[in-house]
Amino acid sequence: MTLMSEGQTRSSDIDAETAQYNETLRLLSEGSVHKHFDPYVDIDWDSPEFEVIDNDRRWILPTKTDPIGGHAWYQALPEDKQIEIGMWRQANVAKVGLQFENILIRGMMQYVFSLENGDPEARYCTHESVEECNHTLMFQEMVNRVGADAPGMSRWMKLVSPILPLFASIAPELFFVGVLAGEEPIDHIQKGVLRSGEEIHPIMQGVMAIHVAEEARHISFAHQLLRRRVPKMSKVGRFFLSLMFPIVMRVLCDTIVIPPKKFWQKFDIPKSVKKDLFWESKEAQHVLQDYFGDVRMLATDTGMMNRAAKLVWKACGIDGKASRFRSEPDRSSSQFAA
């Protein structure tokens, strides 16, 4: 009787866990139905305030939330040069976001392809993919209007991009770690800009507001999926993932946050400035570490913050305190973000 009771309890726990997960997915899907955005409806691209004009100071990079904007080298430049650099940089950030979400969409559809009928993940992943398609339209529209021929990601990342969506089928846990590696830094950066109150161009304001609102659901899903799947992995698989977790975070963060080679060459930016910004100064190191408080919490909660993994987090320069709750603000110092 005791054994049966324990077995029944265990089965009941599993059923309750599945029911809770499915309910979370239902709520996320309903959120996508009732609170979604269309970039050609919710942004008035042709309004006078959205016009891109010469010598608009609102394109000067903000000092509090952009490391380049806060650097003495940039601040010493003539105003017209600051505006030119600011426009190119913001356009490239949008282009990188577009390219990352293109990879994410392809991977998400690859993941959905193998799901069974009735699986609530299929519905939510498809909702998310629709939203990400709208984000790519929004980002490309911004790039087109700014007029900077921004390349986005580095050449090597573009070369490997066709392979990355395949991980959604062969190693879904690793794929969704990659999803968070791209989404968490962007979300952290954009929230910082919106919270700072610094003046930015209305195009930036509109794009960021929409993106942050919908990314909250996307990030929540990736966290929930990994919390559900990781404990069910084999010990070997979980150990391997624990080591890859910080590596993927750091590699994709650098891909997204650091401007490509063309940027440094085009504006003749000294190497010493680049080193200061990414990531050799103490302030820059702190900003890098702060991007990953939420995912350190996730790694800890899912049993992936073992001794070996901690060494890898430290070697990648992204170790530190885990967040106590999602989106916990950093109050230890003033921040800037890329």
Side-chain angles (χ1 to χ4, degrees), residues 151-165:
M153 292 178 173
S154 62
R155 184 177 298 175
W156 76 266
M157 190 65 184
K158 291 176 183 176
L159 288 174
V160 302
S161 65
I163 301 168
L164 300 180

Side-chain angles (χ1 to χ4, degrees), residues 162-173:
I163 301 168
L164 300 180
L166 300 178
F167 282 90
S169 292
I170 60 178
E173 296 85 3

Side-chain angles (χ1 to χ4, degrees), residues 39-245:
Y40 292 103
V41 172
D42 297 295
I43 297 178
D44 186 2
W45 296 101
D46 295 324
S47 70
E49 66 171 348
F50 273 57
E51 188 179 357
V52 177
I53 59 176
D54 293 335
N55 302 317
D56 189 336
R57 297 191 79 259
R58 293 174 299 181
W59 289 110
I60 294 176
L61 297 172
T63 58
K64 294 178 183 177
T65 53
D66 191 291
I68 298 173
H71 198 280
W73 175 84
Y74 178 78
Q75 293 175 359
L77 293 172
E79 185 175 285
D80 62 333
K81 199 67 176 177
Q82 290 185 40
I83 292 170
E84 184 185 3
I85 291 174
M87 292 179 73
W88 201 99
R89 172 159 170 73
Q90 301 292 20
N92 200 72
V93 169
K95 188 70 176 183
V96 170
L98 181 162
Q99 291 165 338
F100 172 78
E101 294 194 339
N102 182 289
I103 295 170
L104 187 154
I105 293 161
R106 285 180 280 146
M108 199 73 80
M109 289 293 93
Q110 184 76 19
Y111 181 72
V112 168
F113 189 83
S114 60
L115 295 179
E116 297 179 357
N117 294 329
D119 192 324
E121 285 185 352
R123 178 185 172 185
Y124 179 71
C125 287
T126 305
H127 278 307
E128 179 171 335
S129 297
V130 171
E131 291 167 355
E132 298 291 23
C133 282
N134 275 328
H135 294 175
T136 63
L137 286 169
M138 179 172 69
F139 287 144
Q140 188 63 64
E141 187 68 28
M142 175 182 157
V143 173
N144 294 346
R145 287 174 181 267
V146 172
D149 188 20
M153 292 178 173
S154 62
R155 184 177 298 175
W156 76 266
M157 190 65 184
K158 291 176 183 176
L159 288 174
V160 302
S161 65
I163 301 168
L164 300 180
L166 300 178
F167 282 90
S169 292
I170 60 178
E173 296 85 3
L174 186 59
F175 174 77
F176 280 99
V177 166
V179 168
L180 286 177
E183 289 181 335
E184 290 278 9
I186 293 174
D187 186 66
H188 188 101
I189 289 163
Q190 292 183 339
K191 282 179 180 175
V193 173
L194 294 173
R195 288 168 177 165
S196 73
E198 293 185 278
E199 185 179 28
I200 56 175
H201 195 281
I203 287 180
M204 292 291 298
Q205 186 82 25
V207 166
M208 285 186 181
I210 288 176
H211 195 246
V212 165
E214 294 192 327
E215 285 302 305
R217 287 195 294 265
H218 305 172
I219 292 172
S220 178
F221 170 66
H223 275 263
Q224 293 296 328
L225 180 141
L226 288 168
R227 286 178 183 276
R228 178 172 170 79
R229 293 189 68 116
V230 170
K232 297 178 181 180
M233 296 175 71
S234 68
K235 288 184 178 180
V236 173
R238 189 162 59 246
F239 180 73
F240 173 76
L241 185 65
S242 75
L243 301 183
M244 290 301 299
F245 200 123

Side-chain angles (χ1 to χ4, degrees), residues 240-259:
F240 173 76
L241 185 65
S242 75
L243 301 183
M244 290 301 299
F245 200 123
I247 295 171
V248 172
M249 288 290 153
R250 178 59 194 270
V251 169
L252 288 185
C253 174
D254 284 357
T255 298
I256 289 166
V257 174
I258 301 175

Side-chain angles (χ1 to χ4, degrees), residues 282-298:
K282 287 184 179 180
E283 292 82 2
Q285 288 171 10
H286 177 82
V287 169
L288 175 64
Q289 291 170 330
D290 191 49
Y291 289 158
F292 299 105
D294 287 3
V295 290
R296 287 193 295 266
M297 176 179 68
L298 175 64

